[in-house]
Amino acid sequence: MPEGPELHLASLYVNKMCEGVVFSGPVVKSEVSKSPDVSFNCESYRITASSRGKEVKLTLTPIKSDDDGKRRSKVTQTDQPMDIVFRFGMSGYFRFTSEDEVPKHGHLRFYTKEKPCRVLSFVDARRFGSWQPNGTWQPDRGPCIMFEYKSFRSVIGLQLTIILKIDESRRFFPFCLRLNIPPFLCARDALEGLEAKMKGKTQGMGDLLRLCHTVPLEVVSLGGKGYDPEKVDYSAFQAWLQCYYVDGMKSVRDHNGRTMWFKGDPGPMAPKGKKTRESTRERKSSSAQPPGGKHLRKYQLI
DNA sequence: CGTCCACGTCTAC
DNA sequence: TAGACCTGGACGG
């Protein structure tokens, strides 16, 4: 998603930082952004956030005030709430800072009413992210694996035949390690192996799907205790990682160029002619962080 | 300096 | 199913 947990943590971050904070004035877009202008301009408003899967929604809620009428004559005031739906691309995140600490690549900015003011910024170095003013959750996206687990299960149930036909267990590779499944089994073998292990017809799939749900929640619980991208303590997350850049783990790049991490046998569908690499902690010791950086951007699940 | 990598959509062949 | 869209950090010579 970037990773469902990140998006959810971003919404927690916004709610935490913006609780009780009053914002004011126009919403400002950077020069270079190609995302739409946000025509919202309000003397006093609040910001709250929620997440669903790979999207975050900000809700701007005007606060009624006595001097409303006066102001209205100068600038067109927005008096209705507005939802803005964000997708994070590869590098999006929110930061709440003083005005002179607004991060480079802060492409959409919300200013507080106080002096000196502070700024909530949507930061996105690569600009693969986007936002939609007056947006709604994108209707054709799959359910959220963290908070719409039931419908996620039923959707997967409906698509299981297709998954068995065309896919490999690597679709679920983040969870294979936990279940002791080689990542490059074909899906049928993976599921049959699980079923044999679990002795229930749907049990194997159920277990896999449950991990799709619970593993991201584990990440959220790690980050939930004071999520601030700058101050976050990496060690907890690092210790939690079981695979990604962990000593002794192997990785292969699949045909899409995506790196898969695993241990032991890669399985029969492993890409041929590709080198399997073994992680040594030396690369990491210099940076003490997985690539992807300071912002806990890339949660590699497992 | 230059090359590789991060893996999220969206569009065109 | 490539390729495009982008930046920047790690690493190599």
Side-chain angles (χ1 to χ4, degrees), chain A residues 131 146 161:
Chain A
W131 60 80
M146 292 194 293
T161 326

Side-chain angles (χ1 to χ4, degrees):
Chain A
M1 318 185 208
E3 326 281 7
E6 288 178 276
L7 283 276
H8 181 62
L9 287 170
S11 73
L12 295 181
Y13 173 78
V14 169
N15 286 331
K16 181 180 167 181
M17 304 307 278
C18 300
E19 187 177 359
V21 176
V22 178
F23 291 81
S24 184
V27 178
V28 180
K29 188 179 81 168
S30 74
E31 290 289 316
V32 292
S33 174
K34 292 172 187 162
S35 282
D37 290 325
V38 176
S39 54
F40 181 96
N41 190 338
C42 183
E43 184 59 25
S44 302
Y45 67 98
R46 295 191 192 280
I47 298 179
T48 55
S50 57
S51 76
R52 175 183 183 268
K54 284 197 224 183
E55 298 182 312
V56 168
K57 178 160 69 187
L58 292 194
T59 302
L60 316 183
T61 308
I63 303 168
K64 295 255 180 283
S65 69
D66 297 341
D67 55 35
D68 244 16
K70 288 186 276 187
R71 303 279 179 180
R72 201 179 297 273
S73 55
K74 284 183 192 160
V75 187
T76 309
Q77 291 285 305
T78 311
D79 52 9
Q80 293 304 306
M82 176 189 278
D83 286 341
I84 309 172
V85 174
F86 291 79
R87 275 167 292 162
F88 280 21
M90 299 277 282
S91 54
Y93 62 96
F94 283 103
R95 295 297 311 283
F96 189 56
T97 65
S98 63
E99 192 168 15
D100 51 359
E101 284 174 326
V102 165
K104 197 178 175 186
H105 307 300
H107 294 303
L108 195 67
R109 301 187 295 274
F110 307 83
Y111 292 81
T112 67
K113 196 171 185 173
E114 66 218 323
K115 292 281 177 218
C117 73
R118 290 177 290 169
V119 187
L120 179 68
S121 306
F122 176 66
V123 188
D124 183 12
R126 298 179 70 178
R127 273 181 273 146
F128 294 171
S130 61
W131 60 80
Q132 199 56 59
N134 299 309
T136 56
W137 299 133
Q138 215 173 258
D140 50 351
R141 297 190 80 95
C144 177
I145 53 174
M146 292 194 293
F147 304 117
E148 294 168 349
Y149 178 50
K150 270 194 176 169
S151 52
F152 166 71
R153 285 189 64 112
S154 56
V155 166
I156 293 291
L158 292 172
Q159 294 177 358
L160 189 51
T161 326
I162 301 166
I163 293 173
L164 287 174
K165 199 175 266 181
I166 62 165
D167 214 2
E168 302 156 24
S169 55
R170 68 186 166 71
R171 169 166 287 199
F172 299 98
F173 96 93
F175 315 108
C176 288
L177 183 80
R178 294 266 178 119
L179 295 170
N180 246 315
I181 311 167
F184 291 98
L185 281 182
C186 76
R188 186 183 304 278
D189 288 349
L191 296 177
E192 279 171 3
L194 281 173
E195 280 166 17
K197 216 180 278 180
M198 304 292 173
K199 282 192 179 166
K201 184 74 184 109
T202 57
Q203 188 64 29
M205 195 61 193
D207 214 47
L208 197 55
L209 296 186
R210 193 161 50 250
L211 283 176
C212 296
H213 172 62
T214 57
V215 169
L217 286 177
E218 282 182 38
V219 177
V220 169
S221 72
L222 281 177
K225 54 170 185 269
Y227 174 69
D228 180 331
E230 283 298 276
K231 292 176 197 155
V232 78
D233 175 13
Y234 240 97
S235 57
F237 182 64
Q238 199 113 85
W240 176 85
L241 286 172
Q242 296 182 18
C243 215
Y244 186 75
Y245 267 79
V246 167
D247 211 4
M249 289 297 171
K250 296 175 192 164
S251 62
V252 198
R253 310 201 70 207
D254 73 3
H255 57 82
N256 287 317
R258 176 158 190 193
T259 303
M260 329 268 306
W261 292 84
F262 60 97
K263 68 178 171 188
D265 178 15
M269 310 278 286
K272 304 253 188 303
K274 305 249 179 179
K275 285 235 166 73
T276 299
R277 296 186 313 186
E278 192 151 333
S279 173
T280 64
R281 225 170 245 275
E282 286 140 46
R283 319 171 56 114
K284 209 176 58 177
S285 58
S286 56
S287 66
Q289 289 178 357
K294 310 167 193 163
H295 304 298
L296 265 186
R297 270 293 310 150
K298 294 295 151 245
Y299 288 120
Q300 294 295 323
L301 303 183
I302 302 245

